Amino acid sequence: FGFKGCQKIRGPQIRNLLEAKDFFLFDCDGVIWHGEKAITGAAKVVNSLIRQGKNVVFVTNNCTRPRENYVHKFYRLGFTDVILEQIFSSSYCSALYLRDVVKVCGQVFVIGCDGLRRELQEAGIPCVEEADDPDATIYDCALAPDVKAVLVGHDDKLTFLKLAKASCYLRDPDCLFLATDNDPWHPLSGGRILPGSGSLTAALEVASGRKATVIGKPSRFMFECISSQFRGVDPAQCLMVGDRLETDMLFGSNCGLDTMLTLTGVSQIEEAQEYRNSDLTTNHSLVPDYVVDTIADFLPAFEE
Ligand code: PLP
Ligand code: CA
């Protein structure tokens, strides 16, 4: 079966698929919106699925906002039926991992935005306070004695000192090394890109000689968070919809879900076909089962 997957579907095939599935997982950027702009028709699709009684959740590797900010963003962009419990971000899942899986006792040193720190606070996880003395250096700054984990995520105020401190904490083999996600970069408008969390994690992996445990997609942990909050989720009933092969499609495959690539984001259908035709069988986990141009292609399925 070397050539399974990558099936471009339309009209009645989409309708059949939507009828067959009862649990929809949507990636956000590139599927639902581009930055601050909703993808045309996406709000109507999401609201229609919810009103049909389908389960809908959002799985985003964007760790920069706490979940309540997402609720506001969804509302602002016209997704009026989305509630907090439907949102699974890499920052929220990192907090759950620290609280429920490793049961961290001690402080966490965070490289990341305020939103990530807020999400940890919400879960009752103590973070090392950043003293912002602009003249401090790694030669003379204080290091906290009880740091039990370093958590790295996208940080638009990254400094050399933060990297240096994190590298020092990671010398302790009992200090865990976690990354919210490993995304390499993100597209911005006008052909620009934003370096992702993965680029910061890579710097710290080199400095520490260690490998980070990744919480976000493609790791299975986000699906475990979803399963524990929506009892009895059957992977066979799920469809994972995303725009990036290396995160979203691999995540779906890792969790045993059917996958759909939308062409409104990062990955192109040609890349999916290359993975499909590859002799390396591990590449086949990156191949979507289905492909659509945009999730707006779902809209006719909601008409009588
Ligand atoms: N992380 C950051 C900092 C981002 O800006 C983005 C997209 O804009 C993402 C992650 C990817 O988010 P998603 O998983 O929703 O595509
Ligand atoms: Ca995406």
Side-chain angles (χ1 to χ4, degrees):
F1 336 58
F3 294 94
K4 168 190 166 292
C6 254
Q7 189 196 353
K8 189 93 180 254
I9 58 169
R10 39 214 286 269
Q13 296 160 300
I14 294 179
R15 184 188 287 259
N16 291 342
L17 182 63
L18 298 188
E19 275 171 13
K21 300 293 180 186
D22 65 20
F23 208 107
F24 295 82
L25 298 86
F26 289 101
D27 164 68
C28 292
D29 204 71
V31 172
I32 296 291
W33 56 55
H34 289 131
E36 277 301 313
K37 207 175 155 291
I39 285 180
T40 308
K44 204 160 176 215
V45 167
V46 167
N47 293 341
S48 303
L49 285 171
I50 294 172
R51 283 170 201 172
Q52 282 190 347
K54 304 284 188 183
N55 283 303
V56 175
V57 296
F58 300 91
V59 279
T60 177
N61 271 359
N62 191 329
C63 63
T64 62
R65 300 160 182 262
R67 285 193 306 163
E68 63 193 65
N69 284 29
Y70 280 107
V71 177
H72 296 145
K73 176 168 182 177
F74 274 110
Y75 196 85
R76 201 164 63 235
L77 298 188
F79 300 80
T80 48
D81 294 353
V82 175
I83 58 172
L84 193 75
E85 287 71 21
Q86 289 170 295
I87 298 165
F88 292 83
S89 65
S90 58
S91 45
Y92 173 59
C93 294
S94 296
L96 294 181
Y97 188 83
L98 284 162
R99 190 188 69 190
D100 302 338
V101 179
V102 304
K103 302 182 170 70
V104 69
C105 45
Q107 297 194 88
V108 177
F109 183 75
V110 178
I111 291 182
C113 297
D114 290 341
L116 176 57
R117 240 170 251 112
R118 281 252 297 286
E119 201 68 81
L120 296 188
Q121 268 164 15
E122 201 106 325
I125 292 156
C127 303
V128 179
E129 280 295 330
E130 274 297 316
D132 36 11
D133 173 359
D135 296 325
T137 71
I138 193 64
Y139 299 104
D140 56 23
C141 69
L143 291 177
D146 58 341
V147 172
K148 293 290 182 253
V150 168
L151 173 63
V152 191
H154 182 88
D155 188 340
D156 54 5
K157 299 200 177 63
L158 179 75
T159 62
F160 184 79
L161 182 58
K162 278 197 217 174
L163 271 183
K165 285 183 180 175
S167 316
C168 292
Y169 290 126
L170 288 173
R171 303 215 21 118
D172 174 0
D174 292 331
C175 178
L176 293 172
F177 182 11
L178 308 178
T180 56
D181 63 274
N182 215 8
D183 287 5
W185 53 272
H186 304 286
L188 298 175
S189 56
R192 300 189 178 190
I193 64 162
L194 192 68
S197 306
S199 64
L200 310 189
T201 305
L204 207 48
E205 287 185 337
V206 172
S208 67
R210 296 177 54 176
K211 276 273 169 214
T213 298
V214 177
I215 302 298
K217 300 170 289 184
S219 145
R220 288 178 44 91
F221 184 67
M222 286 181 112
F223 190 67
E224 288 170 22
C225 295
I226 294 166
S227 311
S228 71
Q229 292 180 30
F230 290 77
R231 266 148 226 270
V233 184
D234 175 5
Q237 289 298 313
C238 295
L239 182 68
M240 169 67 207
V241 186
D243 72 309
R244 197 170 211 154
L245 303 170
E246 295 79 4
T247 50
D248 303 317
M249 300 304 109
L250 185 55
F251 170 72
S253 304
N254 285 343
C255 302
L257 321 176
D258 277 0
T259 55
M260 176 187 277
L261 177 72
T262 71
L263 299 174
T264 45
V266 170
S267 298
Q268 309 294 311
I269 195 165
E270 291 77 14
E271 299 167 62
Q273 287 161 342
E274 262 175 52
Y275 282 129
R276 182 188 61 182
N277 300 346
S278 158
D279 293 334
L280 204 60
T281 50
T282 50
N283 279 339
H284 298 170
S285 307
L286 292 98
V287 180
D289 295 300
Y290 308 103
V291 181
V292 295
D293 287 321
T294 154
I295 60 167
D297 292 351
F298 293 9
L299 286 173
F302 303 121
E303 287 157 16
E304 278 311 305

Short mmCIF file of all heavy atoms in Angstrom, two decimals, residues 68-123:
data_model
loop_
_atom_site.label_atom_id
_atom_site.label_comp_id
_atom_site.label_asym_id
_atom_site.label_seq_id
_atom_site.Cartn_x
_atom_site.Cartn_y
_atom_site.Cartn_z
N GLU A 68 -7.74 31.60 28.31
CA GLU A 68 -8.85 32.57 28.32
C GLU A 68 -8.66 33.62 27.21
O GLU A 68 -9.64 34.10 26.65
CB GLU A 68 -9.00 33.23 29.68
CG GLU A 68 -7.79 34.05 30.09
CD GLU A 68 -7.82 34.44 31.56
OE1 GLU A 68 -7.73 33.51 32.40
OE2 GLU A 68 -7.90 35.62 31.85
N ASN A 69 -7.41 33.93 26.86
CA ASN A 69 -7.18 34.85 25.73
C ASN A 69 -7.68 34.25 24.42
O ASN A 69 -8.15 34.97 23.54
CB ASN A 69 -5.70 35.16 25.56
CG ASN A 69 -5.19 36.13 26.59
OD1 ASN A 69 -5.72 36.16 27.70
ND2 ASN A 69 -4.18 36.89 26.25
N TYR A 70 -7.55 32.93 24.31
CA TYR A 70 -8.05 32.27 23.10
C TYR A 70 -9.57 32.37 23.01
O TYR A 70 -10.11 32.58 21.93
CB TYR A 70 -7.62 30.81 23.04
CG TYR A 70 -6.21 30.65 22.56
CD1 TYR A 70 -5.20 30.30 23.43
CD2 TYR A 70 -5.88 30.90 21.23
CE1 TYR A 70 -3.89 30.18 23.01
CE2 TYR A 70 -4.58 30.78 20.79
CZ TYR A 70 -3.59 30.43 21.68
OH TYR A 70 -2.30 30.32 21.25
N VAL A 71 -10.24 32.21 24.15
CA VAL A 71 -11.70 32.32 24.12
C VAL A 71 -12.08 33.69 23.56
O VAL A 71 -12.95 33.80 22.69
CB VAL A 71 -12.30 32.13 25.53
CG1 VAL A 71 -13.81 32.31 25.50
CG2 VAL A 71 -11.96 30.74 26.06
N HIS A 72 -11.40 34.73 24.03
CA HIS A 72 -11.69 36.08 23.55
C HIS A 72 -11.38 36.22 22.07
O HIS A 72 -12.13 36.82 21.31
CB HIS A 72 -10.91 37.12 24.36
CG HIS A 72 -11.31 37.14 25.81
ND1 HIS A 72 -10.42 37.39 26.83
CD2 HIS A 72 -12.50 36.92 26.40
CE1 HIS A 72 -11.06 37.31 27.99
NE2 HIS A 72 -12.32 37.03 27.75
N LYS A 73 -10.24 35.64 21.69
CA LYS A 73 -9.86 35.74 20.27
C LYS A 73 -10.88 35.02 19.38
O LYS A 73 -11.30 35.56 18.36
CB LYS A 73 -8.46 35.14 20.06
CG LYS A 73 -8.04 35.13 18.60
CD LYS A 73 -6.56 34.82 18.40
CE LYS A 73 -6.23 34.87 16.91
NZ LYS A 73 -4.80 34.66 16.64
N PHE A 74 -11.29 33.82 19.79
CA PHE A 74 -12.30 33.10 19.02
C PHE A 74 -13.56 33.97 18.87
O PHE A 74 -14.10 34.11 17.78
CB PHE A 74 -12.66 31.77 19.69
CG PHE A 74 -11.75 30.63 19.31
CD1 PHE A 74 -10.86 30.10 20.22
CD2 PHE A 74 -11.79 30.09 18.04
CE1 PHE A 74 -10.02 29.04 19.87
CE2 PHE A 74 -10.97 29.04 17.67
CZ PHE A 74 -10.07 28.51 18.60
N TYR A 75 -13.98 34.55 19.98
CA TYR A 75 -15.22 35.34 19.94
C TYR A 75 -15.07 36.54 19.00
O TYR A 75 -15.92 36.80 18.16
CB TYR A 75 -15.59 35.79 21.36
CG TYR A 75 -17.02 36.24 21.43
CD1 TYR A 75 -18.05 35.32 21.61
CD2 TYR A 75 -17.34 37.59 21.24
CE1 TYR A 75 -19.37 35.72 21.62
CE2 TYR A 75 -18.66 37.99 21.26
CZ TYR A 75 -19.67 37.06 21.45
OH TYR A 75 -20.97 37.45 21.44
N ARG A 76 -13.92 37.23 19.16
CA ARG A 76 -13.64 38.43 18.35
C ARG A 76 -13.67 38.10 16.87
O ARG A 76 -14.10 38.90 16.04
CB ARG A 76 -12.23 38.89 18.75
CG ARG A 76 -11.90 40.30 18.47
CD ARG A 76 -10.64 40.73 19.25
NE ARG A 76 -9.42 40.02 18.92
CZ ARG A 76 -8.66 39.38 19.79
NH1 ARG A 76 -8.99 39.33 21.06
NH2 ARG A 76 -7.55 38.77 19.40
N LEU A 77 -13.21 36.91 16.50
CA LEU A 77 -13.11 36.55 15.09
C LEU A 77 -14.38 35.85 14.59
O LEU A 77 -14.40 35.33 13.48
CB LEU A 77 -11.88 35.68 14.83
CG LEU A 77 -10.52 36.32 15.12
CD1 LEU A 77 -9.38 35.44 14.64
CD2 LEU A 77 -10.38 37.69 14.48
N GLY A 78 -15.43 35.81 15.42
CA GLY A 78 -16.72 35.29 14.95
C GLY A 78 -17.01 33.85 15.33
O GLY A 78 -18.03 33.31 14.92
N PHE A 79 -16.10 33.21 16.09
CA PHE A 79 -16.34 31.83 16.55
C PHE A 79 -17.07 31.94 17.88
O PHE A 79 -16.48 31.77 18.95
CB PHE A 79 -15.01 31.09 16.71
CG PHE A 79 -14.20 30.99 15.46
CD1 PHE A 79 -13.42 32.07 15.03
CD2 PHE A 79 -14.20 29.83 14.70
CE1 PHE A 79 -12.66 31.98 13.87
CE2 PHE A 79 -13.44 29.74 13.53
CZ PHE A 79 -12.68 30.82 13.12
N THR A 80 -18.36 32.22 17.81
CA THR A 80 -19.08 32.65 19.01
C THR A 80 -19.45 31.50 19.94
O THR A 80 -19.84 31.73 21.07
CB THR A 80 -20.37 33.38 18.59
OG1 THR A 80 -21.02 32.56 17.60
CG2 THR A 80 -20.05 34.73 17.98
N ASP A 81 -19.29 30.25 19.48
CA ASP A 81 -19.73 29.12 20.31
C ASP A 81 -18.58 28.39 21.00
O ASP A 81 -18.79 27.35 21.60
CB ASP A 81 -20.51 28.11 19.45
CG ASP A 81 -21.83 28.70 18.94
OD1 ASP A 81 -22.17 29.82 19.36
OD2 ASP A 81 -22.48 28.05 18.11
N VAL A 82 -17.37 28.93 20.91
CA VAL A 82 -16.21 28.22 21.47
C VAL A 82 -16.02 28.58 22.95
O VAL A 82 -16.07 29.74 23.33
CB VAL A 82 -14.93 28.57 20.68
CG1 VAL A 82 -13.69 27.95 21.33
CG2 VAL A 82 -15.05 28.09 19.23
N ILE A 83 -15.82 27.54 23.77
CA ILE A 83 -15.61 27.77 25.21
C ILE A 83 -14.23 27.25 25.65
O ILE A 83 -13.58 26.49 24.93
CB ILE A 83 -16.73 27.11 26.05
CG1 ILE A 83 -16.79 25.61 25.79
CG2 ILE A 83 -18.07 27.77 25.79
CD1 ILE A 83 -17.72 24.86 26.73
N LEU A 84 -13.85 27.69 26.85
CA LEU A 84 -12.52 27.38 27.40
C LEU A 84 -12.15 25.90 27.31
O LEU A 84 -11.03 25.53 26.96
CB LEU A 84 -12.49 27.84 28.86
CG LEU A 84 -11.14 27.91 29.55
CD1 LEU A 84 -10.36 29.11 29.06
CD2 LEU A 84 -11.30 27.97 31.06
N GLU A 85 -13.11 25.04 27.63
CA GLU A 85 -12.86 23.59 27.71
C GLU A 85 -12.51 22.98 26.36
O GLU A 85 -12.09 21.83 26.29
CB GLU A 85 -14.07 22.87 28.31
CG GLU A 85 -14.25 23.08 29.81
CD GLU A 85 -14.70 24.50 30.19
OE1 GLU A 85 -15.25 25.22 29.31
OE2 GLU A 85 -14.47 24.90 31.34
N GLN A 86 -12.71 23.74 25.29
CA GLN A 86 -12.39 23.20 23.96
C GLN A 86 -10.97 23.53 23.52
O GLN A 86 -10.56 23.15 22.42
CB GLN A 86 -13.38 23.77 22.93
CG GLN A 86 -14.78 23.21 23.08
CD GLN A 86 -15.77 23.97 22.23
OE1 GLN A 86 -16.01 25.17 22.45
NE2 GLN A 86 -16.34 23.31 21.25
N ILE A 87 -10.25 24.27 24.36
CA ILE A 87 -8.95 24.79 23.92
C ILE A 87 -7.80 24.04 24.59
O ILE A 87 -7.71 23.98 25.81
CB ILE A 87 -8.88 26.30 24.20
CG1 ILE A 87 -9.98 26.99 23.39
CG2 ILE A 87 -7.50 26.84 23.84
CD1 ILE A 87 -10.26 28.39 23.82
N PHE A 88 -6.96 23.43 23.76
CA PHE A 88 -5.78 22.71 24.25
C PHE A 88 -4.55 23.34 23.60
O PHE A 88 -4.28 23.13 22.42
CB PHE A 88 -5.90 21.22 23.92
CG PHE A 88 -7.00 20.55 24.70
CD1 PHE A 88 -8.32 20.62 24.26
CD2 PHE A 88 -6.73 19.93 25.91
CE1 PHE A 88 -9.35 20.05 25.00
CE2 PHE A 88 -7.75 19.35 26.66
CZ PHE A 88 -9.07 19.42 26.21
N SER A 89 -3.85 24.17 24.37
CA SER A 89 -2.67 24.83 23.84
C SER A 89 -1.44 24.16 24.44
O SER A 89 -1.53 23.48 25.48
CB SER A 89 -2.67 26.30 24.23
OG SER A 89 -2.55 26.41 25.64
N SER A 90 -0.30 24.37 23.82
CA SER A 90 0.92 23.74 24.34
C SER A 90 1.29 24.32 25.70
O SER A 90 1.95 23.65 26.49
CB SER A 90 2.07 23.88 23.34
OG SER A 90 2.31 25.23 23.04
N SER A 91 0.85 25.56 26.00
CA SER A 91 1.15 26.11 27.33
C SER A 91 0.26 25.45 28.39
O SER A 91 0.75 25.04 29.45
CB SER A 91 0.98 27.64 27.34
OG SER A 91 -0.20 28.01 26.70
N TYR A 92 -1.03 25.32 28.09
CA TYR A 92 -1.95 24.66 29.03
C TYR A 92 -1.51 23.22 29.27
O TYR A 92 -1.44 22.76 30.43
CB TYR A 92 -3.36 24.72 28.44
CG TYR A 92 -4.40 23.93 29.20
CD1 TYR A 92 -4.67 24.20 30.53
CD2 TYR A 92 -5.13 22.92 28.57
CE1 TYR A 92 -5.63 23.47 31.22
CE2 TYR A 92 -6.09 22.19 29.25
CZ TYR A 92 -6.34 22.47 30.57
OH TYR A 92 -7.28 21.75 31.25
N CYS A 93 -1.17 22.49 28.20
CA CYS A 93 -0.79 21.09 28.35
C CYS A 93 0.55 20.96 29.07
O CYS A 93 0.76 19.99 29.81
CB CYS A 93 -0.79 20.39 27.00
SG CYS A 93 -2.46 20.28 26.30
N SER A 94 1.44 21.93 28.90
CA SER A 94 2.70 21.92 29.66
C SER A 94 2.42 22.05 31.15
O SER A 94 3.05 21.38 31.98
CB SER A 94 3.62 23.07 29.22
OG SER A 94 4.00 22.90 27.88
N ALA A 95 1.48 22.92 31.49
CA ALA A 95 1.11 23.09 32.90
C ALA A 95 0.52 21.79 33.46
O ALA A 95 0.87 21.36 34.56
CB ALA A 95 0.11 24.24 33.05
N LEU A 96 -0.34 21.13 32.66
CA LEU A 96 -0.93 19.85 33.11
C LEU A 96 0.16 18.79 33.28
O LEU A 96 0.13 18.00 34.22
CB LEU A 96 -1.97 19.35 32.10
CG LEU A 96 -3.23 20.17 31.93
CD1 LEU A 96 -4.16 19.51 30.91
CD2 LEU A 96 -3.95 20.36 33.26
N TYR A 97 1.13 18.80 32.38
CA TYR A 97 2.21 17.81 32.45
C TYR A 97 3.01 18.00 33.74
O TYR A 97 3.29 17.04 34.46
CB TYR A 97 3.12 17.96 31.23
CG TYR A 97 4.16 16.87 31.10
CD1 TYR A 97 3.84 15.65 30.52
CD2 TYR A 97 5.46 17.07 31.55
CE1 TYR A 97 4.79 14.64 30.40
CE2 TYR A 97 6.42 16.07 31.43
CZ TYR A 97 6.07 14.86 30.85
OH TYR A 97 7.02 13.87 30.73
N LEU A 98 3.36 19.25 34.04
CA LEU A 98 4.14 19.54 35.25
C LEU A 98 3.34 19.21 36.51
O LEU A 98 3.87 18.68 37.48
CB LEU A 98 4.56 21.01 35.26
CG LEU A 98 5.72 21.34 34.31
CD1 LEU A 98 5.81 22.84 34.05
CD2 LEU A 98 7.04 20.82 34.89
N ARG A 99 2.05 19.52 36.48
CA ARG A 99 1.22 19.30 37.66
C ARG A 99 0.84 17.84 37.85
O ARG A 99 0.98 17.29 38.95
CB ARG A 99 -0.06 20.15 37.56
CG ARG A 99 -0.87 20.18 38.86
CD ARG A 99 -2.21 20.86 38.66
NE ARG A 99 -3.08 20.03 37.82
CZ ARG A 99 -4.25 20.46 37.33
NH1 ARG A 99 -4.65 21.70 37.56
NH2 ARG A 99 -4.98 19.67 36.60
N ASP A 100 0.39 17.18 36.77
CA ASP A 100 -0.22 15.86 36.92
C ASP A 100 0.70 14.70 36.56
O ASP A 100 0.50 13.59 37.07
CB ASP A 100 -1.49 15.75 36.05
CG ASP A 100 -2.50 16.82 36.41
OD1 ASP A 100 -2.45 17.34 37.56
OD2 ASP A 100 -3.33 17.17 35.56
N VAL A 101 1.65 14.91 35.69
CA VAL A 101 2.52 13.80 35.29
C VAL A 101 3.79 13.79 36.13
O VAL A 101 4.07 12.82 36.82
CB VAL A 101 2.85 13.84 33.78
CG1 VAL A 101 3.77 12.69 33.39
CG2 VAL A 101 1.57 13.81 32.95
N VAL A 102 4.55 14.88 36.12
CA VAL A 102 5.79 14.86 36.91
C VAL A 102 5.56 15.31 38.34
O VAL A 102 6.39 15.10 39.20
CB VAL A 102 6.93 15.70 36.26
CG1 VAL A 102 7.20 15.22 34.86
CG2 VAL A 102 6.63 17.17 36.27
N LYS A 103 4.39 15.93 38.60
CA LYS A 103 4.07 16.41 39.95
C LYS A 103 5.26 17.17 40.53
O LYS A 103 5.78 16.84 41.61
CB LYS A 103 3.66 15.24 40.85
CG LYS A 103 2.46 14.47 40.31
CD LYS A 103 2.07 13.34 41.26
CE LYS A 103 0.74 12.68 40.91
NZ LYS A 103 0.76 11.88 39.68
N VAL A 104 5.67 18.16 39.81
CA VAL A 104 6.91 18.87 40.14
C VAL A 104 6.81 19.52 41.53
O VAL A 104 5.79 20.13 41.85
CB VAL A 104 7.23 19.92 39.04
CG1 VAL A 104 6.25 21.07 39.03
CG2 VAL A 104 8.66 20.42 39.15
N CYS A 105 7.81 19.27 42.37
CA CYS A 105 7.86 20.03 43.62
C CYS A 105 9.18 20.77 43.64
O CYS A 105 10.25 20.18 43.60
CB CYS A 105 7.66 19.14 44.85
SG CYS A 105 8.61 17.63 44.80
N GLY A 106 9.07 22.09 43.65
CA GLY A 106 10.22 22.96 43.42
C GLY A 106 9.78 23.97 42.38
O GLY A 106 8.62 23.97 41.97
N GLN A 107 10.71 24.80 41.93
CA GLN A 107 10.32 25.84 40.98
C GLN A 107 10.63 25.42 39.54
O GLN A 107 11.44 24.54 39.29
CB GLN A 107 11.09 27.11 41.29
CG GLN A 107 10.79 27.72 42.64
CD GLN A 107 11.31 29.13 42.72
OE1 GLN A 107 10.61 30.07 42.35
NE2 GLN A 107 12.53 29.28 43.17
N VAL A 108 9.95 26.11 38.63
CA VAL A 108 10.20 25.90 37.20
C VAL A 108 10.85 27.16 36.64
O VAL A 108 10.37 28.28 36.91
CB VAL A 108 8.89 25.59 36.46
CG1 VAL A 108 9.14 25.43 34.96
CG2 VAL A 108 8.25 24.33 37.03
N PHE A 109 11.93 26.99 35.90
CA PHE A 109 12.53 28.12 35.21
C PHE A 109 11.96 28.17 33.80
O PHE A 109 12.05 27.20 33.05
CB PHE A 109 14.06 27.99 35.17
CG PHE A 109 14.73 29.17 34.54
CD1 PHE A 109 14.86 30.37 35.24
CD2 PHE A 109 15.22 29.11 33.24
CE1 PHE A 109 15.46 31.48 34.67
CE2 PHE A 109 15.83 30.22 32.65
CZ PHE A 109 15.95 31.40 33.37
N VAL A 110 11.33 29.30 33.48
CA VAL A 110 10.61 29.40 32.22
C VAL A 110 11.31 30.33 31.25
O VAL A 110 11.64 31.47 31.60
CB VAL A 110 9.18 29.95 32.47
CG1 VAL A 110 8.42 30.10 31.15
CG2 VAL A 110 8.42 29.04 33.41
N ILE A 111 11.56 29.83 30.05
CA ILE A 111 11.88 30.73 28.93
C ILE A 111 10.59 30.78 28.13
O ILE A 111 10.13 29.76 27.64
CB ILE A 111 13.05 30.18 28.09
CG1 ILE A 111 14.35 30.25 28.91
CG2 ILE A 111 13.19 30.95 26.77
CD1 ILE A 111 15.59 29.76 28.16
N GLY A 112 9.97 31.93 28.06
CA GLY A 112 8.68 32.00 27.38
C GLY A 112 8.01 33.34 27.62
O GLY A 112 8.53 34.18 28.35
N CYS A 113 6.83 33.50 27.04
CA CYS A 113 6.10 34.76 27.18
C CYS A 113 5.29 34.75 28.48
O CYS A 113 5.12 33.71 29.11
CB CYS A 113 5.14 34.94 26.00
SG CYS A 113 5.99 35.05 24.43
N ASP A 114 4.76 35.92 28.84
CA ASP A 114 3.96 36.03 30.07
C ASP A 114 2.77 35.06 30.06
O ASP A 114 2.39 34.53 31.10
CB ASP A 114 3.42 37.45 30.23
CG ASP A 114 4.55 38.42 30.58
OD1 ASP A 114 5.62 37.93 31.03
OD2 ASP A 114 4.37 39.63 30.39
N GLY A 115 2.20 34.83 28.88
CA GLY A 115 1.05 33.94 28.77
C GLY A 115 1.36 32.53 29.25
O GLY A 115 0.53 31.87 29.87
N LEU A 116 2.55 32.07 28.99
CA LEU A 116 2.97 30.74 29.43
C LEU A 116 3.08 30.72 30.96
O LEU A 116 2.59 29.81 31.62
CB LEU A 116 4.31 30.37 28.78
CG LEU A 116 4.95 29.05 29.21
CD1 LEU A 116 4.01 27.87 28.98
CD2 LEU A 116 6.27 28.81 28.45
N ARG A 117 3.71 31.78 31.49
CA ARG A 117 3.85 31.86 32.95
C ARG A 117 2.47 31.93 33.62
O ARG A 117 2.24 31.30 34.65
CB ARG A 117 4.69 33.10 33.31
CG ARG A 117 5.94 32.73 34.07
CD ARG A 117 6.88 33.90 34.22
NE ARG A 117 8.03 33.65 33.38
CZ ARG A 117 8.35 34.35 32.31
NH1 ARG A 117 7.62 35.38 31.95
NH2 ARG A 117 9.40 34.03 31.61
N ARG A 118 1.54 32.67 33.00
CA ARG A 118 0.18 32.77 33.55
C ARG A 118 -0.50 31.41 33.62
O ARG A 118 -1.18 31.07 34.59
CB ARG A 118 -0.68 33.70 32.67
CG ARG A 118 -0.44 35.17 32.92
CD ARG A 118 -1.63 35.81 33.66
NE ARG A 118 -2.88 35.78 32.91
CZ ARG A 118 -3.14 36.55 31.87
NH1 ARG A 118 -2.27 37.42 31.44
NH2 ARG A 118 -4.30 36.45 31.26
N GLU A 119 -0.30 30.63 32.58
CA GLU A 119 -0.93 29.31 32.52
C GLU A 119 -0.36 28.39 33.61
O GLU A 119 -1.10 27.61 34.22
CB GLU A 119 -0.70 28.71 31.13
CG GLU A 119 -1.63 27.63 30.70
CD GLU A 119 -3.07 28.08 30.47
OE1 GLU A 119 -3.38 28.63 29.39
OE2 GLU A 119 -3.89 27.88 31.38
N LEU A 120 0.94 28.50 33.89
CA LEU A 120 1.55 27.70 34.95
C LEU A 120 1.02 28.14 36.31
O LEU A 120 0.68 27.31 37.16
CB LEU A 120 3.07 27.81 34.92
CG LEU A 120 3.80 27.28 33.68
CD1 LEU A 120 5.30 27.30 33.89
CD2 LEU A 120 3.36 25.89 33.30
N GLN A 121 0.93 29.45 36.51
CA GLN A 121 0.39 29.98 37.77
C GLN A 121 -0.99 29.45 38.05
O GLN A 121 -1.31 29.03 39.15
CB GLN A 121 0.31 31.51 37.70
CG GLN A 121 1.53 32.22 38.23
CD GLN A 121 1.56 33.68 37.77
OE1 GLN A 121 0.54 34.21 37.32
NE2 GLN A 121 2.71 34.31 37.88
N GLU A 122 -1.82 29.47 37.00
CA GLU A 122 -3.18 28.98 37.10
C GLU A 122 -3.22 27.54 37.61
O GLU A 122 -4.13 27.16 38.34
CB GLU A 122 -3.82 29.02 35.71
CG GLU A 122 -5.29 29.04 35.70
CD GLU A 122 -5.82 30.43 35.35
OE1 GLU A 122 -5.21 31.44 35.72
OE2 GLU A 122 -6.84 30.48 34.69
N ALA A 123 -2.23 26.75 37.23
CA ALA A 123 -2.16 25.35 37.65
C ALA A 123 -1.42 25.21 38.99
O ALA A 123 -1.18 24.09 39.44
CB ALA A 123 -1.48 24.52 36.56
#
